[in-house]
Amino acid sequence: MRFSILIPAIGLMAACNTVAPVQGTGFNTPTYQAQREAELAGQGGTGSPLPEPYEVSQQPLGSPTSGVDGADLATATAAALASTSTQAAAASASVPTASNSGISDEQDFAAVSERRSIETDAARIEQNSQTYEVVAPTAVPQRGADGQPNIVQYALSTSNPVGAQLYSRAGFNLQAKAQRNCAKFPSADQAQIEFLSNGGPQKDRKGLDPDGDGYACGWDPSPFRSAVNN
């Protein structure tokens, strides 16, 4: 058993030692070149090695203008360019241009400076100043005597806030009655005028001031007071 295992191992080592080292890799190996030379010789070739697959040919490429006279080529190129320019000019001429004549150029300094100067602006300002019309202030017109109470004057004559009772009110369900009656007026101002026209603020014949503060239907005199103070 021991001899049968050692013999194949020794034979394998001997085979490895007899193999010649390979020079190069791929198509550059001597083995490949020798095989190709043998194939070419058997086919009647010269036996010379083939060029490398990746080798670039040094043969110059033919000129694209080969066989065409230089003068003719220049003439043809100039004619083509002239034709293209003519077609572009005709196309641009056929497109209508937008007009902006209605747009003011007052914000364009260059355009304005061509038409105006410091002297002309001074003359323009002087001409405008001569056309100024000074309106003198007049007194505020007085309220016409229409027989109705002036709620603005009443607001300025009072100082108690809304809800502070100054006048006595007697009766049952005063809040419900005031709610029904106040709904008949389009605004609190109209309700206050009606309240003052019928004995208010001392008397409340229509039940518009249930808390006795002198203001009907939640009317508030504060805006009128603030306007005078400011």
Side-chain angles (χ1 to χ4, degrees):
M1 272 312 274
R2 181 178 301 178
F3 292 103
S4 62
I5 294 174
L6 292 175
I7 292 174
I10 294 173
L12 179 60
M13 294 174 61
C16 292
N17 293 331
T18 57
V19 177
V22 178
Q23 299 290 332
T25 58
F27 295 103
N28 293 327
T29 60
T31 303
Y32 173 77
Q33 293 291 347
Q35 292 177 355
R36 292 301 300 164
E37 292 177 2
E39 292 177 359
L40 291 175
Q43 296 175 3
T46 59
S48 60
L50 294 177
E52 299 298 335
Y54 48 82
E55 182 179 356
V56 179
S57 174
Q58 300 299 323
Q59 182 180 0
L61 298 176
S63 174
T65 58
S66 178
V68 179
D69 188 9
D72 295 340
L73 179 62
T75 303
T77 303
L81 292 176
S83 176
T84 303
S85 302
T86 304
Q87 294 176 0
S92 61
S94 62
V95 177
T97 57
S99 176
N100 59 351
S101 58
I103 300 177
S104 174
D105 60 353
E106 292 295 326
Q107 302 299 326
D108 188 350
F109 179 79
V112 174
S113 61
E114 293 179 357
R115 301 191 304 267
R116 297 184 184 177
S117 63
I118 298 177
E119 292 77 9
T120 57
D121 286 345
R124 184 191 300 268
I125 294 173
E126 180 64 23
Q127 181 180 1
N128 292 337
S129 63
Q130 294 177 1
T131 60
Y132 289 161
E133 181 180 357
V134 179
V135 179
T138 58
V140 178
Q142 298 295 325
R143 185 182 180 92
D146 54 358
Q148 292 184 345
N150 190 334
I151 59 174
V152 177
Q153 184 178 357
Y154 177 76
L156 300 179
S157 65
T158 60
S159 59
N160 63 303
V162 176
Q165 184 175 2
L166 297 180
Y167 310 98
S168 60
R169 300 290 184 246
F172 297 97
N173 298 326
L174 296 180
Q175 293 292 342
K177 182 179 179 181
Q179 185 175 3
R180 291 194 303 270
N181 294 335
C182 288
K184 300 176 182 178
F185 297 94
S187 65
D189 291 343
Q190 293 294 331
Q192 183 68 18
I193 293 174
E194 185 68 17
F195 170 65
L196 297 176
S197 300
N198 289 274
Q202 290 80 9
K203 297 179 181 181
D204 185 19
R205 294 187 175 92
K206 293 190 175 183
L208 303 177
D209 181 23
D211 54 5
D213 59 356
Y215 312 133
C217 301
W219 181 76
D220 188 2
S222 300
F224 302 102
R225 298 170 185 170
S226 300
V228 172
N229 295 331
N230 294 333

